[in-house]
Amino acid sequence: MKKIIILVLAFSLNSCAQVPQILNQLPQIASQIPGVGGVDIASGLKEALNKGITQQVSKLTAVDGFYKNEAVKILMPAELQKVDATLRKIGLSSLADEGIKVLNRAAEDAVKEATPIFVSAVKNMSFTDAKNILLGNDSAATSYLQGTTTTALYGKFNPVIKTSFEKVGADVVWKNIITKYNTIPLVKKVNPDLTDYTTNQALAGVFKMIAVEEKDIRNNISARTTPLLKSVFAMQDGK
């Protein structure tokens, strides 16, 4: 059972960002697991965490982490596809491109808020949760995190995205886009909630990248680059 808990902690935390915040909490997390040495757990989690950060989610927090990653790049919402096409048709392609870029910049800022929420989800995980994840399908850990953190992540992401819109000038860019579009004769006027849209797209991107890493570790033995990952996922291989 100890190995199962180690697995879940290692895998779940390897999907987060902001290493220093996590590492400060590792001894505290470990101390809550009866009979397990905190130092050893902290060392193992640090290895797994560094791999996950390097491979996947931390990339989303960098400049162009969303914008130049086709798997998660945020495009205009469906109701604005006509806006995008119309702007390009009348020679305002650069304005349309800038509108998309600032949405992605806001998402890159927001993802930095994910770390403490994932830590909380791990601390509250039950033995049953851990067993189900270990013996589950390729996205069992991702599904657990999605179910337990989405509401909290939305609450953190949304205000960050709103502030980021102001910081990167997205509010001005989009006001300009919407104003120009709404002055075109015969078009249906639009007024989308871009903060909500970008928040949900940022969430989708985070979980998509977590799922990529989970599937790789579960199915690719060479992806288990630490003794901790090798030992705990060997249990899964023999299920």
Side-chain angles (χ1 to χ4, degrees), residues 8-30 32 45 49 53 112-126 144-145 148-149 152-153 210:
V8 177
L9 285 168
F11 181 79
S12 299
L13 284 176
N14 81 3
S15 304
C16 304
Q18 295 178 313
V19 179
Q21 291 184 22
I22 297 281
L23 297 183
N24 288 336
Q25 298 183 57
L26 290 178
Q28 178 183 349
I29 294 172
Q32 296 177 6
L45 290 179
L49 177 60
I53 290 170
K112 297 171 185 176
E113 298 295 318
T115 299
I117 295 172
F118 283 128
V119 170
S120 178
V122 170
K123 289 170 66 176
N124 293 322
M125 188 176 291
S126 70
Y144 171 80
L145 289 175
T148 56
T149 65
L153 287 172
I210 290 174

Side-chain angles (χ1 to χ4, degrees), residues 47-97:
E47 290 182 68
L49 177 60
N50 283 334
K51 179 182 185 298
I53 290 170
T54 300
Q55 293 296 321
Q56 301 296 347
V57 177
S58 68
K59 295 177 182 179
L60 298 178
T61 69
V63 174
D64 291 330
F66 272 84
Y67 188 60
K68 290 189 177 179
N69 183 341
E70 293 301 321
V72 297
K73 182 178 180 178
I74 300 174
L75 304 176
M76 286 195 183
E79 64 268 32
L80 293 185
Q81 293 299 319
K82 288 185 178 180
V83 175
D84 183 87
T86 302
L87 290 175
R88 296 182 190 283
K89 189 180 296 183
I90 62 176
L92 294 175
S93 295
S94 60
L95 181 59
D97 290 340

Side-chain angles (χ1 to χ4, degrees), residues 117 144-156 200 203 207:
I117 295 172
Y144 171 80
L145 289 175
Q146 195 163 7
T148 56
T149 65
T150 293
T151 299
L153 287 172
Y154 185 98
K156 283 287 188 179
N200 283 312
L203 287 170
F207 290 118

Side-chain angles (χ1 to χ4, degrees), residues 7 11 51 134 136-140 142 210-225 229 232-234 236-237 239:
L7 157 69
F11 181 79
K51 179 182 185 298
L134 177 62
N137 60 29
D138 283 353
S139 60
T142 303
I210 290 174
V212 167
E213 182 69 8
E214 176 175 8
K215 185 175 182 179
D216 192 37
I217 292 176
R218 284 186 184 273
N219 295 286
N220 182 5
I221 294 178
S222 65
R224 305 170 191 174
T225 55
L229 290 176
V232 295
F233 280 95
Q236 172 213 258
D237 295 339
K239 69 181 178 181

Side-chain angles (χ1 to χ4, degrees), residues 37-45:
V39 174
D40 291 339
I41 290 293
S43 298
L45 290 179

